[in-house]
Amino acid sequence: MSASGNRVAAASMVGSVVEYYDFTLFGLAAALVFGEQFFPGTSPLAATLASLATFAVGFLARPLGGVIFSHYGDRIGRKPMMVATLLLMGFATAAIGLLPGYGTIGVLAPILLVLLRLLQGFGAGAEYVGALVMAAESGDERRRGFLSSLPGTGVFIGILLATLTFSGISSLPEAQFQSWGWRLPFLLSLAGVALGLYFRSQVEETPIFAELRRTGETGKAPVVEVIRHQPKRLLLAMAANGPFVAISYLIQVFVLSYVTTTLGVAKSTGLIANVSASALAIVATPLFGMLSDRIGRRPVWFLGAGFLALFAFPMFWLVDTRAPVAIVLAVVLGLAVGIASMYAAQASLFAELFEARFRLSGIALARESTAALIGGPAPLVASAVLAWSGGASWPIAALVCGLALISLVAVLAVPETRGADLRQAAPVRLR
């Protein structure tokens, strides 16, 4: 890879690292800390539901942030929007680390937490999308699956760093952890922002967008144009993405809450499971990206979705044993095989589905609208279903299985895009 290619790869990855460090950190804190810090005086279940609802709130802002940032990303350039989203995400996360708890400022504490979560979601709305478009449009099309998977690799690096940091801090004495220790990982987000700004200042605008701007072919209303010109592809991308995001957060967030709150397993077990799964996914994601360059985007997606459909019930059978090794194995297989393969295939598939003049808007609309409607509320819905079932996990397993099958069927209707020329007005199916 050339020096320029290395810079683009680093710039595309680092933003995803920051985004998912921030989002994972919030999810971990929502499952393990925020109930006591911001929603005291309620039952443990009610506090958990309230904190997971706060987690879901961030997804409400993602479609709006995605539409606005991607609009300007399709109008004035990919690079400026990548810088703006990085700053907003990082500073909102650091502010959460400085936020007083309910015991200090009363009801204002959860209100401010929700507002900061909304800002976090607003910035995240186009961060990952901008990164994958930057990688896809700047690299060799023969290696596009691999290059486009690098932001997904950054996702798992962010998850790993957040989980390791939170795990280390949670080993403090409980009183210290609850009073100030949990805040430190949020403040560390500023280091990622500084690193991200450095790398992103080193890259140029993508050649494809530079050509669109030179010829005056950038869209005036990209979101409207993608709905008007490629509605079927947009709907199929939404149908494929929504279930995928929901399963991802069920494994990362709900399972962690489930094993600690319902099963009474030490919280360190769930954290170790997330660390192990993320570490393996860092390796697996680019390998799945490379595989998509050889056999196509759809087969790799089928692999992940089909595996999750078959593994849904065994995954919860393993978790319900309460055995730490079984819990770790369940989460590792769910994330490092099922989710990682779908992440890798999604990046290049979505980039190749949409025309260049509204590519960012199309991907952002497909991803973020479904993340808000389906992905964000998934842990909350699962917790409510768990309460309805009296603590039985089989309805959650059935939910995971159904979601995976919906995503698989949606991708069946999507054309194979491997080899599409992103410089053309409309991507074509070459093979």
Side-chain angles (χ1 to χ4, degrees):
M1 192 182 298
S2 66
S4 175
N6 287 332
R7 288 195 296 270
V8 171
S12 64
M13 284 181 64
V14 73
S16 296
V17 172
V18 173
E19 176 187 353
Y20 277 83
Y21 173 88
D22 294 352
F23 255 63
T24 302
L25 197 59
F26 197 101
L28 292 170
L32 302 175
V33 176
F34 286 165
E36 182 173 339
Q37 289 290 325
F38 297 99
F39 306 98
T42 58
S43 69
L45 177 60
T48 299
L49 287 172
S51 59
L52 290 177
T54 307
F55 174 80
V57 161
F59 287 85
L60 299 178
R62 289 183 67 150
L64 180 59
V67 167
I68 292 175
F69 281 118
S70 63
H71 169 84
Y72 289 104
D74 282 328
R75 291 281 293 150
I76 66 175
R78 318 310 196 194
K79 180 179 174 180
M81 293 308 100
M82 290 176 69
V83 172
T85 55
L86 179 69
L87 288 172
L88 186 55
M89 276 285 299
F91 284 116
T93 301
I96 292 172
L98 298 173
L99 185 62
Y102 189 94
T104 303
I105 59 175
V107 72
L108 188 60
I111 291 173
L112 290 175
L113 179 67
V114 169
L115 289 175
L116 289 172
R117 176 63 173 167
L118 287 171
L119 287 176
Q120 199 185 46
F122 192 82
E127 168 55 47
Y128 174 77
V129 175
L132 76 86
V133 169
M134 173 71 78
E137 291 186 348
S138 299
D140 182 350
E141 73 171 47
R142 294 169 298 180
R143 305 176 66 223
R144 188 181 297 141
F146 166 71
L147 295 173
S148 300
S149 73
L150 294 180
T153 305
V155 165
F156 290 109
I157 294 173
I159 293 171
L160 177 62
L161 290 176
T163 310
L164 283 174
T165 304
F166 202 82
S167 299
I169 295 297
S170 67
S171 66
L172 288 169
E174 187 66 17
Q176 295 180 27
F177 175 70
Q178 291 291 340
S179 64
W180 56 267
W182 68 268
R183 301 177 180 276
L184 295 182
F186 286 88
L187 297 174
L188 286 174
S189 179
L190 293 176
V193 172
L195 186 64
L197 288 176
Y198 169 76
F199 281 113
R200 291 189 171 179
S201 68
Q202 306 298 309
V203 300
E204 302 294 332
E205 188 54 77
T206 72
I208 289 173
F209 183 81
E211 179 64 16
L212 286 176
R213 186 167 53 192
R214 186 187 67 81
T215 58
E217 296 179 40
T218 55
K220 294 183 179 180
V223 172
V224 175
E225 291 178 34
V226 72
I227 294 172
R228 179 185 302 163
H229 294 291
Q230 292 189 305
K232 181 179 178 181
R233 291 190 175 195
L234 177 62
L235 289 174
L236 288 173
M238 294 169 71
N241 183 75
F244 155 70
V245 176
I247 297 171
S248 177
Y249 281 107
L250 285 174
I251 296 173
Q252 295 175 56
V253 178
F254 171 77
V255 169
L256 177 61
S257 175
Y258 174 66
V259 298
T260 56
T261 304
T262 302
L263 300 183
V265 178
K267 62 185 177 184
S268 60
T269 299
L271 294 173
I272 291 170
N274 276 357
V275 166
S276 303
S278 300
L280 290 174
I282 291 169
V283 178
T285 303
L287 293 178
F288 283 123
M290 294 170 66
L291 183 63
S292 78
D293 283 327
R294 295 182 63 85
I295 67 173
R297 320 309 185 197
R298 296 201 314 164
V300 175
W301 191 296
F302 295 160
L303 169 67
F307 174 80
L308 287 170
L310 294 172
F311 185 60
F313 282 91
M315 178 169 64
F316 279 93
W317 294 339
L318 288 169
V319 170
D320 285 343
T321 65
R322 292 182 168 86
V325 173
I327 293 171
V328 171
L329 178 62
V331 175
V332 163
L333 291 175
L335 278 180
V337 178
I339 296 300
S341 57
M342 295 171 77
Y343 244 126
Q346 180 201 66
S348 50
L349 175 64
F350 281 15
E352 292 162 344
L353 275 179
F354 297 104
E355 297 184 23
R357 58 197 172 101
F358 45 68
R359 177 167 293 130
L360 202 58
S361 296
I363 302 174
L365 191 57
R367 277 181 49 86
E368 303 309 329
S369 61
T370 51
L373 292 172
I374 303 173
L380 177 62
V381 170
S383 295
V385 170
L386 188 70
W388 166 81
S389 69
S393 64
W394 67 263
I396 315 301
L399 176 63
V400 171
C401 180
L403 289 168
L405 290 174
I406 291 171
S407 185
L408 190 152
V409 170
V411 175
L412 278 173
V414 173
E416 177 56 60
T417 60
R418 180 170 63 107
D421 187 350
L422 298 187
R423 295 168 297 180
Q424 293 184 347
V428 296
R429 181 179 177 179
L430 297 184
R431 56 181 180 272

